[in-house]
Amino acid sequence: MTNERELDRRAIDTIRFLAVDAVQKAGSGHPGMPLDAAPMAYVLWSRFLKHDPADPRWIDRDRFVLSAGHGSALLYALLHLTGYEEMTLEQLERFRQWGSLTPGHPESHLTGCVEASTGPLGQGIGNALGMAIAEAHLAARYNRPGHTIFDHRTYVIASDGDMMEGVQAEAASLAGHLALGKLIVLYDSNRVTLSGTTSITFTEDVAARYQAYGWHVQTVDDGNDVDALSRAIRAARDATSQPSLICVRTVLGFGAPNKAGSFEAHGNPLGPDEVKRTKEHLGWPEEPPFFVPREVLVHLRAALERGKTAREGWSRRFADYREAFPELAAEIERRFRGALPAGWDEGLPQLPADAKGMATRKASETILQSLAHRVPELVGGSGDLDPSTFTWLKQDGDFEPPQRFDASAQGTVGGGWSYAGRNIHFGVREHAMGAAVNGLAYHGGVIPFGATFLVFSDYMRASIRLSAIARLHTIWVFTHDSIAVGEDGPTHQPVEQLLALRAIPGLVVLRPADANETRCAWQVALARTEGPTALALTRQHVPTLDRTVYAPAEGLRRGAYVLNPELADPQMILIGTGSEVSLVVAAERVLRERGVRARLVSMPSWELFAAESAAYRESVLPASVRARLAVEAGRAIGWERWVGSSGDVLSVDRFGASAKGDVVMTQYGLTADHVVARALAVLAR
Amino acid sequence: MTNERELDRRAIDTIRFLAVDAVQKAGSGHPGMPLDAAPMAYVLWSRFLKHDPADPRWIDRDRFVLSAGHGSALLYALLHLTGYEEMTLEQLERFRQWGSLTPGHPESHLTGCVEASTGPLGQGIGNALGMAIAEAHLAARYNRPGHTIFDHRTYVIASDGDMMEGVQAEAASLAGHLALGKLIVLYDSNRVTLSGTTSITFTEDVAARYQAYGWHVQTVDDGNDVDALSRAIRAARDATSQPSLICVRTVLGFGAPNKAGSFEAHGNPLGPDEVKRTKEHLGWPEEPPFFVPREVLVHLRAALERGKTAREGWSRRFADYREAFPELAAEIERRFRGALPAGWDEGLPQLPADAKGMATRKASETILQSLAHRVPELVGGSGDLDPSTFTWLKQDGDFEPPQRFDASAQGTVGGGWSYAGRNIHFGVREHAMGAAVNGLAYHGGVIPFGATFLVFSDYMRASIRLSAIARLHTIWVFTHDSIAVGEDGPTHQPVEQLLALRAIPGLVVLRPADANETRCAWQVALARTEGPTALALTRQHVPTLDRTVYAPAEGLRRGAYVLNPELADPQMILIGTGSEVSLVVAAERVLRERGVRARLVSMPSWELFAAESAAYRESVLPASVRARLAVEAGRAIGWERWVGSSGDVLSVDRFGASAKGDVVMTQYGLTADHVVARALAVLAR
């Protein structure tokens, strides 16, 4: 026993000092959190976490999310010590340096064995919510009596800062509602943040709050008490019908004689003197840095053996499963490969030409129902807006904990309530929706979407950004995409959101012009596995273009395309996106009557068009045609690139107004007549 | 008694049907919430709310925030019935129409008697937090024994949707910590949202959660029980050391026979038949619409008399106060007029030329300390980042509830803990900070600022947008403004945030180039009362330009200015912002040696420059000089406007990386050498 305890202690201190030395060598970073959280991380990783360092992508592994991403050195130390091949000691020595796999905050696209890109506080808890949803969903879909294929947990280490963030609060409330028993959060409660102790701003009772959400809550009074931590994690695992919070009381920068418990231990290296004293204090050799005692390495590398055993057991189970349910097994493998089903987009609805047309959100609904049949991995929901975003999958049930079933509930719910449901009711929690959708994508096996009004993309912007940084296959569906929203007024009318989304590197923004472009937009979004896609859809009707007259909607895939390619020798170019394409189309008819030859370009995506070859771009926007007018019910900024110095933009550069949508559009000059007038003015320049 | 009850009932139904008729006539809107919340609103407004409809701007009025802004018709009905002059019955009849004062969601800049622009859920609770902070602060600063000048409450009506939003959770946690006893939230718990009942997504125990935050919590089981509502509000007022939540159980669309309790009553007119049946059901005459019984009008217009009495009492008290404390009285009046103190910006620090220079966040700290002396209404804080944003006012104490004083606390705290403190510790709650800063501005008497890292502007974007819609005098301080942040990596390095902020109409974004431009930036931000201003400041050192060589930093006020106006006949123009100005300055020296005449333009603000005359713009960027290069460590989008089709932009169009800041800058091509190379390439085109 004494030996075992001593080994625990030495292993914990090894983790601590790998992190401290990494921070010290880098000359920047956060030593305090690894010093205090090493014991809980050690207990979790050495006694509970189901993982195989030799196969970081094993689908039934437990997920571990370091929501307190600033403690990244702790994570890298664990990854190294348990045997992840890419996480060499040299990588730890290159902590926070150019080109290393050990950046300041964990980056999953860079470091394969990192589950999630965290750092912006609160996000990790939302990611973990999504991972736990994915696990529960896949288990409900694929497990069969005697065949348990999906059965893993999602663990989080979170900080005081995480616990203050709104995205965390939203995620925790939803996790409690969803009764996700396999979600376990270790709350490293050191009560110190960047600028001082939490007593200056954060004195709520976190445990009571989580109880109010319906979580199973425990407290461990001494963050160094390995047995207590072990008992608490075990009890959390046993509480299978509720997510679990374990509040662990710790001391930031534990062991640092002069800085422990102070904000000075939070975000800067301890300094050589304090590192020395801390090592002395904890009985650790001052030299060499990055010291790993052999017995500790042997002890922690046992993870490889345990992981192998666990994974091989699972592989045998999966082989049995494949025998019993070959189609399901193939589907699971396909889903986790990220490959869409064969023929998934053949024969999708073609919407007929129609002058009145339909809202693109409505066209989206039609396409989505059709896709839902063909692509079972498509799951998602809205921030309490299904009846408006039209994103509810009608045949696919609602993701709800069966025990909450309440026959009196109404609304959009139908088609079954269980974890097998593919419709997730996120509630009025846009930010947690964003983080959870990211978590679903991190988990794999699903293609997740999240929907709300375009203006509320602002509420979840931090998560959208992270989906782009982490290159996740997420789909953001934003309806009510302009001032044409109407009576709800400026707080509900997006003006700058299209530009703000286009500003995010790696995010493809698609604003389809009509029903058929909407179909193509969904095809792009489903097929684009290398990063997130956002759809901007109208609330109001837009004409469905007659594609026997205009070029096929498939042009959307190239970002911009000529609608009337037969027109020879154009005098000018009219460019539109989304609902404004119908305005330029109408204007072109008038101009034609007046003898003006105007090329029509639908430009649903700047990003896709910019990624095309220069030759294609020139074929759409010939440099020789300098009279250009772009029309979009959003800000003009950035359109200069496409219209050039001689061009003009009919745009919306102030906030909207409350009135009927068509009145607002007219008042703001978004009419075919005004397009004609502006086009003639451009031509006359 | 019976008569009184009958009058209550009729008054409540008057409110209900004014709202229902307004929605019905508009053909859009939210009838359900006014139907259920009319009793609590009536009790509050007729028995408790201290206000004078004849003087909507009386500074010691109670504030009322309809956080559930979609229930705007309820608010307009109350404003009309209690006698606010601008809120005529005709305005109610023009609900949600072009040019009316009754837009779909309340807009304070449009409708003078509306306290806050609400609608995006959760924001109102954050606004109310800010208002309550303002009241507590002004009371602590100005009240004197026997002279109570500030003593008013902030009331909120909030919905289930509000209670799900993260910004609400953050605000409530902070309000509890701050022990703001004059903040009272009525939670209209109808358990129905847009897409169904809350049972599908929101089953937490809200009362217990608020208790965990340290609030005083009560429940009223029947939202129609006028006496119970009255008792609860009274008890909430008596709980002076805690903010209060009153959970009121209501039935959405109360009285509508077929739609009550259903999501169908939420966001659409009831329809003529259901309106008729609802009136029948509640014993209300079907015709005329917008019916106001005479006795109800008399009863509710008593607010005018009560308001007059209250305000006159206050005016007498203020006259006494003026006699006793003439300077303080004058200061209060000045502050609420929005006028800065005479000579407020004379003799602000001029920073000496310095090749090594200083970070603009550090220059900002110097200026801010100086301004804090001169402008007592400047209050604010950061999202737990004072030691990094350098926004702590060193002489001005911390806004903390005296009863929480804890001598062991440390960190940045000093200079006194009380409501008189001007430093607000928002915690890691960026979104609530945004909403609360807006609330401080709505309240008046203070000029509020909120600070965080530029990348985390994403977390509070919805509130920044609202500050622009409502044209609030708020100041947003964003430090760590580029990839030069360094080791923290891409999650902490802004790339697209400058553009995203510039996208918001009405927000002026300033990115000062050096210490002296930073001074001017603060001057602009303080003086610009008509809307919000955002400062983008560096983490890293930038040279302090030698203004005997280069033009004065005051050029910042015009958005862009020529740094080397003596240069005749420029061949090209180099444009920089913020830290990149030092790059173009260095590059120009090299180019000069090579015989290239390059004009240098510092362009700290697109918005201010765009607002200048065409003649001024031409004087800075002459159309004849088409070889232009803009340099900014952010996205290129939008720079085309300033560099033109022949120009180029040295920008950052992908996410950053974790490494030392100068390494990242070098790797991304942000060096003087690279500027020279790109400049020569532009020139050679």
Side-chain angles (χ1 to χ4, degrees), chain A residues 65-112:
Chain A
V65 178
L66 186 69
S67 191
H70 56 273
S72 58
L74 173 75
L75 176 60
Y76 302 143
L78 291 163
L79 291 167
H80 170 68
L81 292 169
T82 55
Y84 286 83
E85 198 175 358
E86 66 178 342
M87 192 53 68
T88 60
L89 203 58
E90 192 225 342
Q91 290 293 344
L92 273 165
E93 291 171 356
R94 294 180 55 217
F95 183 53
R96 293 180 151 239
Q97 303 310 307
W98 180 264
S100 78
L101 298 179
T102 49
H105 293 84
E107 296 177 41
S108 61
H109 72 281
L110 191 70
T111 316

Side-chain angles (χ1 to χ4, degrees), chain A residues 167 211 248 288 352 355 405 495 500 590 653:
Chain A
V167 60
Q211 277 160 347
V248 185
F405 186 88
V495 169
V590 177
D653 291 289

Side-chain angles (χ1 to χ4, degrees), chain A residues 312-428:
Chain A
E312 285 177 354
W314 181 86
S315 295
R316 281 191 297 275
R317 289 201 303 282
F318 192 69
D320 293 347
Y321 182 81
R322 186 187 285 114
E323 198 145 308
F325 310 101
E327 287 179 13
L328 292 180
E331 190 170 88
I332 291 170
E333 291 182 315
R334 181 187 62 69
R335 287 171 68 149
F336 275 86
R337 265 201 320 277
L340 289 161
W344 67 277
D345 65 346
E346 283 167 19
L348 283 175
Q350 305 274 338
L351 287 306
D354 180 357
K356 183 180 175 233
M358 69 201 301
T360 53
R361 64 171 167 150
K362 196 74 192 168
S364 166
E365 181 182 46
T366 303
I367 307 302
L368 193 52
Q369 303 307 323
S370 184
L371 282 170
H373 273 299
R374 302 139 174 265
V375 185
E377 59 266 43
L378 190 62
V379 300
S382 75
D384 187 44
L385 290 171
D386 295 348
S388 293
T389 56
F390 296 148
T391 45
W392 191 60
L393 311 178
K394 295 179 186 179
Q395 305 297 322
D396 298 287
D398 292 271
F399 183 87
E400 293 281 349
Q403 63 264 38
R404 278 205 199 280
F405 186 88
D406 170 1
S408 74
Q410 28 117 292
T412 62
V413 175
W417 289 48
S418 81
Y419 287 146
R422 289 163 62 186
N423 293 288
I424 304 164
H425 294 282
F426 290 106
V428 190

Side-chain angles (χ1 to χ4, degrees), chain B residues 243-575:
Chain B
S244 269
L245 178 73
I246 305 173
C247 302
V248 186
R249 290 295 194 129
T250 59
V251 176
L252 183 79
F254 176 84
N258 301 309
K259 294 191 174 177
S262 152
F263 77 104
E264 291 176 67
H266 173 79
N268 287 302
L270 295 176
D273 290 351
E274 186 77 355
V275 169
K276 187 178 164 192
R277 277 192 289 266
T278 307
K279 288 181 175 175
E280 266 170 30
H281 186 69
L282 295 180
W284 199 252
E286 190 189 331
E287 291 289 337
F290 300 97
F291 173 56
V292 179
R294 184 167 166 68
E295 74 277 17
V296 168
L297 195 64
V298 169
H299 173 54
L300 283 168
R301 288 273 159 99
L304 281 163
E305 195 49 48
R306 276 200 314 274
K308 186 160 180 265
T309 306
R311 183 169 52 86
E312 285 177 355
W314 181 87
S315 295
R316 280 191 298 276
R317 289 201 305 282
F318 191 70
D320 292 348
Y321 182 81
R322 185 186 284 112
E323 198 144 308
F325 310 101
E327 287 177 16
L328 292 180
E331 191 169 88
I332 291 170
E333 291 182 315
R334 181 188 61 70
R335 287 171 68 147
F336 276 87
R337 266 201 320 277
L340 289 161
W344 67 277
D345 65 347
E346 283 167 20
L348 284 175
Q350 305 274 339
L351 287 305
D354 180 356
K356 183 180 173 235
M358 66 201 303
T360 53
R361 65 171 168 153
K362 195 73 194 170
S364 166
E365 180 182 47
T366 303
I367 308 301
L368 193 52
Q369 302 307 323
S370 184
L371 282 171
H373 272 299
R374 302 138 175 265
V375 184
E377 59 266 44
L378 191 60
V379 301
S382 75
D384 187 46
L385 290 171
D386 295 349
S388 293
T389 56
F390 295 148
T391 45
W392 192 59
L393 310 178
K394 296 179 185 178
Q395 307 297 322
D396 297 287
D398 293 87
F399 183 88
E400 293 282 348
Q403 63 265 38
R404 278 205 198 279
F405 185 89
D406 170 2
S408 74
Q410 29 117 292
T412 63
V413 176
W417 289 46
S418 81
Y419 287 145
R422 289 163 62 187
N423 292 288
I424 304 165
H425 294 283
F426 290 106
V428 190
R429 304 182 183 101
E430 298 83 6
H431 203 169
M433 175 171 73
V437 164
N438 288 348
L440 283 151
Y442 281 128
H443 184 279
V446 291
I447 300 177
F449 67 86
T452 185
F453 292 161
L454 179 56
V455 79
F456 298 134
S457 60
D458 283 355
Y459 270 69
M460 53 191 291
R461 188 168 170 83
S463 297
I464 300 171
R465 176 176 215 252
L466 281 161
S467 75
I469 289 181
R471 303 175 192 171
L472 299 177
H473 189 191
T474 55
I475 302 173
W476 308 111
V477 183
F478 299 122
T479 66
H480 294 60
D481 74 345
S482 77
I483 55 171
V485 161
E487 291 98 333
D488 276 344
T491 57
H492 285 56
Q493 294 170 357
V495 169
E496 74 278 26
Q497 279 69 20
L498 281 172
L499 174 58
L501 291 172
R502 287 170 182 152
I504 299 176
L507 176 69
V508 165
V509 180
L510 293 168
R511 188 163 185 251
D514 72 349
N516 289 305
E517 278 197 15
T518 304
R519 178 188 67 247
C520 299
W522 268 106
Q523 288 173 284
V524 169
L526 266 287
R528 212 181 95 79
T529 56
E530 66 272 26
T533 304
L535 311 185
L537 304 171
T538 69
R539 175 192 185 213
Q540 78 278 20
H541 284 243
V542 293
T544 305
L545 293 180
D546 183 348
R547 299 293 174 168
T548 64
V549 174
Y550 298 106
E554 280 66 23
L556 168 136
R557 297 165 178 279
R558 310 189 77 168
Y561 63 107
V562 181
L563 285 171
N564 58 349
E566 295 79 11
L567 178 84
D569 194 19
Q571 295 166 272
M572 69 174 310
I573 305 175
L574 294 175
I575 310 172

Side-chain angles (χ1 to χ4, degrees), chain A residues 467-468 502-508 528 530-533 607, chain B residues 635 653 655:
Chain A
S467 75
R502 288 170 182 152
I504 299 175
L507 177 68
V508 165
R528 212 181 94 80
E530 67 272 26
T533 303
E607 300 80 25
Chain B
R635 295 226 53 180
D653 292 288
F655 289 114

Side-chain angles (χ1 to χ4, degrees), chain A residues 503 505, chain B residues 454 481-483 494-499 502 511 577 579-580 606 630-637 639 649-654 665 668 670:
Chain B
L454 179 56
D481 74 345
S482 77
I483 55 171
V495 169
E496 74 278 26
Q497 279 69 20
L498 281 172
L499 174 58
R502 287 170 182 152
R511 188 163 185 251
T577 83
S579 47
E580 286 69 73
W606 287 2
V631 184
E632 186 171 74
R635 295 226 53 180
I637 297 172
W639 275 108
V649 190
L650 175 47
S651 57
V652 176
D653 292 288
R654 56 189 167 116
M665 290 289 269
Y668 280 66
L670 289 159

Side-chain angles (χ1 to χ4, degrees), chain B residues 20 45 86 124 154 192 198 233 301 326 394 401-402 415 431 436 484 518-519 582 620 674:
Chain B
V20 164
W45 279 60
E86 66 178 343
T154 303
V192 179
T198 53
I233 296 174
R301 288 273 159 99
K394 296 179 185 178
H431 203 169
T518 304
R519 178 188 67 247
S582 66
V620 176
H674 193 213

Side-chain angles (χ1 to χ4, degrees), chain A residues 96 105 121 165-166 170 173 177 193 195 200 203-205 212 384 400 430 459 465 488 496 503 635, chain B residues 96 105 121 165-166 170 173 177 193 195 200 203-205 212 384 400 430 459 465 488 493 496 503 635:
Chain A
R96 293 180 151 239
H105 293 84
L121 290 167
E165 288 286 4
E170 293 175 10
S173 172
H177 168 81
T193 61
S195 65
I200 65 174
T203 48
E204 62 167 62
D205 182 342
D384 187 44
E400 293 281 349
E430 298 83 4
Y459 270 69
R465 176 176 215 254
D488 276 344
E496 75 278 26
R635 295 224 54 179
Chain B
R96 293 178 152 241
H105 293 85
L121 289 167
E165 287 285 5
E170 293 176 9
S173 172
H177 169 81
T193 62
S195 65
I200 65 172
T203 48
E204 62 168 63
D205 182 341
D384 187 46
E400 293 282 348
E430 298 83 6
Y459 270 69
R465 176 176 215 252
D488 276 344
Q493 294 170 357
E496 74 278 26
R635 295 226 53 180

